[in-house]
Amino acid sequence: MPTGATNKRKYTYVWVSTIILVFGIFAVYEITKKLKGGTIVEKDRMSIGSIQSDLGFILTNGKKRRVPTFSFLDQDSVLVSDKDYLGKVYVVEFFFTTCPTICPIMTQNLVELQDTFDEFEDFGVASFTINPRYDTPTILKKYAKKYGITDKDWHLMTGDQDEIYKLAQEGFYIAANEVDDAPGGFEHSGMFALVDKQGFIRSRYDENGNPLIYYRGTITEKQGVSKEGEPQQITMLKEDIKKLLLEEQ
C-alpha cells in the first residue's frame, strides 16, 4: 500500500478517535450535571441505570419497617388490603368523619395531594377510621363526596376497631385512642406516614441525620405556620412523594 494512503488512514483514525472521546466526555459531563442538580427524570433512566432517592427507611430492631398486613372494607364496600397498594406510593392517615378539630384540615391537605398527583396512576391514599362503629362504608362514601375525594386509589377504610388501633399503634406507631372527654370522643395523631412502592415506610432526614418519620398534616401550605409556631410540612411531603414516584426499587 502506498505511504500516502497509509498516512491518510492513520489521520482518519485519529480524527474518529478524537470525536468519540469528545462526545464521551460531554455525555459524562451532562449526566453528572443532572445528578448534581437533581433533574434526572424518567427519560434519563435508561442511560444512567436505576434511580434511588435520598429518603431514609425507618428501622425497627435493625430491620426496615414495612406496612403490616391489613384488610378492611372501603367506602365502596370493597375489601382492600396492603397488597392492593404494592407498586404505589401512598400516604397513610388515621381519622374519623365526625372529628371536630384536626381531621377536616388533614383531609383538605390530602385532597391537595390528590389534585397535585392526579396524573400519576401509582399514587394513592390510605385513610383508616378510628371510629368504625359509626363510620360505615355508607358514611365514608358521603364523607368522600363532601370533600371531593375522587382518586380511585384513595380508600377510606373501616373494620374491627381493635385491628385498626393495633395497625395504628403497633404498625405505624401513631396514636389512636377512644377518649370520652376528647373532642368527638377520640384522640389521635395528626401526622401522615409516607409509604414507598414496596410497602416500606420512608421519610427524609432531619438536620441531625435522623429520619423525620412522619409529616405534619394539620397545617396547610396556605396557613404556613401554626399558632404554636410549627411550620407546615405539606410542601415537604409533596417533594418526597415525587422522589418516590421516580424511584426504581
Side-chain angles (χ1 to χ4, degrees):
M1 181 180 294
T3 302
T6 301
N7 290 338
K8 183 176 181 181
R9 178 171 293 182
K10 288 182 179 180
Y11 182 80
T12 301
Y13 286 160
V14 170
W15 268 107
V16 171
S17 299
T18 301
I19 291 172
I20 292 173
L21 178 61
V22 169
F23 274 97
I25 293 173
F26 179 78
V28 171
Y29 168 76
E30 285 298 311
I31 291 174
T32 303
K33 183 172 68 174
K34 289 181 179 179
L35 285 170
K36 289 182 177 180
T39 59
I40 294 296
V41 293
E42 185 76 27
K43 64 182 180 181
D44 296 302
R45 292 183 180 183
M46 293 300 292
S47 61
I48 67 167
S50 62
I51 296 173
Q52 293 296 313
S53 75
D54 57 356
L55 300 182
F57 292 86
I58 313 305
L59 302 180
T60 302
N61 298 323
K63 294 183 178 180
K64 298 175 183 177
R65 192 189 304 171
R66 185 189 291 273
V67 174
T69 299
F70 66 81
S71 181
F72 300 108
L73 288 178
D74 73 357
Q75 68 269 33
D76 295 314
S77 297
V78 174
L79 196 63
V80 176
S81 75
D82 56 296
K83 293 181 177 61
D84 292 304
Y85 282 97
L86 290 177
K88 301 182 186 299
V89 175
Y90 64 104
V91 178
V92 172
E93 69 152 350
F94 291 86
F95 82 115
F96 61 108
T97 63
T98 55
C99 173
T101 54
I102 62 176
C103 293
I105 301 172
M106 294 170 66
T107 302
Q108 180 182 342
N109 279 328
L110 289 171
V111 170
E112 170 68 20
L113 295 179
Q114 167 193 264
D115 296 343
T116 299
F117 298 101
D118 63 344
E119 295 182 0
F120 290 84
E121 294 185 357
D122 50 356
F123 173 73
V125 179
S127 298
F128 301 93
T129 176
I130 60 172
N131 184 15
R133 288 193 300 272
Y134 177 79
D135 288 339
T136 63
T138 299
I139 295 296
L140 294 174
K141 186 78 169 180
K142 291 179 180 178
Y143 187 86
K145 183 176 181 180
K146 175 182 177 181
Y147 283 94
I149 296 172
T150 58
D151 189 338
K152 63 180 179 61
D153 292 311
W154 184 345
H155 302 282
L156 290 80
M157 289 170 274
T158 187
D160 181 81
Q161 181 167 304
D162 290 339
E163 290 185 17
I164 292 174
Y165 282 26
K166 183 178 181 180
L167 179 66
Q169 297 164 0
E170 299 180 16
F172 289 94
Y173 296 83
I174 289 179
N177 297 286
E178 189 169 4
V179 181
D180 291 339
D181 59 352
F186 296 86
E187 194 172 70
H188 67 107
S189 169
M191 307 300 281
F192 295 148
L194 178 60
V195 183
D196 68 18
K197 296 178 182 180
Q198 291 187 332
F200 291 107
I201 303 171
R202 304 284 293 275
S203 80
R204 65 174 57 192
Y205 295 96
D206 63 19
E207 62 274 11
N208 298 315
N210 300 311
L212 189 66
I213 304 182
Y214 305 114
Y215 299 80
R216 194 172 295 116
T218 56
I219 308 168
T220 65
E221 285 185 299
K222 185 177 180 179
Q223 184 181 358
V225 180
S226 70
K227 294 179 181 178
E228 293 73 29
E230 297 174 318
Q232 63 87 13
Q233 294 182 334
I234 301 305
T235 302
M236 180 189 302
L237 180 54
K238 285 181 180 179
E239 294 170 355
D240 292 349
I241 289 170
K242 289 178 182 178
K243 291 178 181 179
L244 291 184
L245 286 170
L246 291 177
E247 185 177 64
E248 289 184 348
Q249 301 176 332

